[in-house]
Amino acid sequence: MTDEAGPWLVVGLGNPGREYAGNRHNVGFMVADLLAGRVGARFGRHRRAVAEVAEGRLGFGGPKLVLAKPLTYMNLSGGPVAGLAQFHKIPPERVIAVHDELDIPYGQLRVKCGGGEGGHNGLRSMSKSLGTKEYVRVRFGVGRPPGRQDPADFVLSDFSSVERKELEFLVDRAADVVESVVTRGVEPTQNLYHGG
């Protein structure tokens, strides 16, 4: 894949505000922040969309990334994403959503294109606003809540102290997965990262 087809829009899903920063639901923001650091870009408020955006290239002359953190709450993420895709003329198949995933054990990462939203409000909003489900998802496993804890409360709570020991490594790996999707494609990335 070359850059001839234009930039990629990488959306970290999360909720704005300091009180949410360490939540499981905000792991997409964490990955977006790390990717911005990797491409030497800083997030700033976009003039057209309700989002913070950072732009840079993967490597010298590599593919352009438009990194986004919607500033709406999770369930309204789609509007800013669709606005940015339209502004930058990025088709849905070059949109990557990075998000927390309850149905995957903590520490596992999965990549897929299209499919259902699994009850994830951010994805549901994106699918509705983009008019399609055919965009790439980098799914960061957070596991199921313990006991009878409500899944909504679970994702809006911070990672446990045990989980935080691995979190930095896993966020780093998730950023690697995003880069792999951009440079290699979805299927080769699945082959590379779905083993563990």
Side-chain angles (χ1 to χ4, degrees), residues 9-13 28-29 32 43 51-54 66-70 81 84:
L9 176 56
V10 180
V11 182
L13 289 177
F29 276 18
F43 277 98
E52 286 196 337
V53 173
V66 178
L67 304 165
K69 297 190 292 184
V81 174
L84 287 167

Side-chain angles (χ1 to χ4, degrees), residues 10-14 27-32 67-70 77 96-99:
V10 180
V11 182
L13 289 177
V27 75
F29 276 18
M30 297 173 197
V31 176
L67 304 165
K69 297 190 292 184
S77 302
I96 302 172
V98 185
H99 64 92

Side-chain angles (χ1 to χ4, degrees), residues 76-141:
L76 298 172
S77 302
V81 174
L84 287 167
Q86 197 173 8
F87 181 83
H88 291 280
K89 299 180 173 57
I90 300 172
E93 63 270 16
R94 291 176 80 85
V95 174
I96 302 172
V98 185
H99 64 92
D100 59 306
E101 178 60 67
L102 285 164
D103 293 326
I104 297 173
Y106 180 72
Q108 290 187 19
L109 297 162
R110 293 288 179 266
V111 182
K112 71 173 186 174
C113 188
E117 291 98 4
H120 196 289
N121 291 331
L123 294 178
R124 192 178 292 138
S125 177
M126 276 185 63
S127 298
K128 187 177 176 187
S129 295
L130 289 169
T132 181
K133 295 181 180 184
E134 295 305 307
Y135 53 90
V136 181
R137 298 99 186 271
V138 172
R139 307 156 77 205
F140 189 110

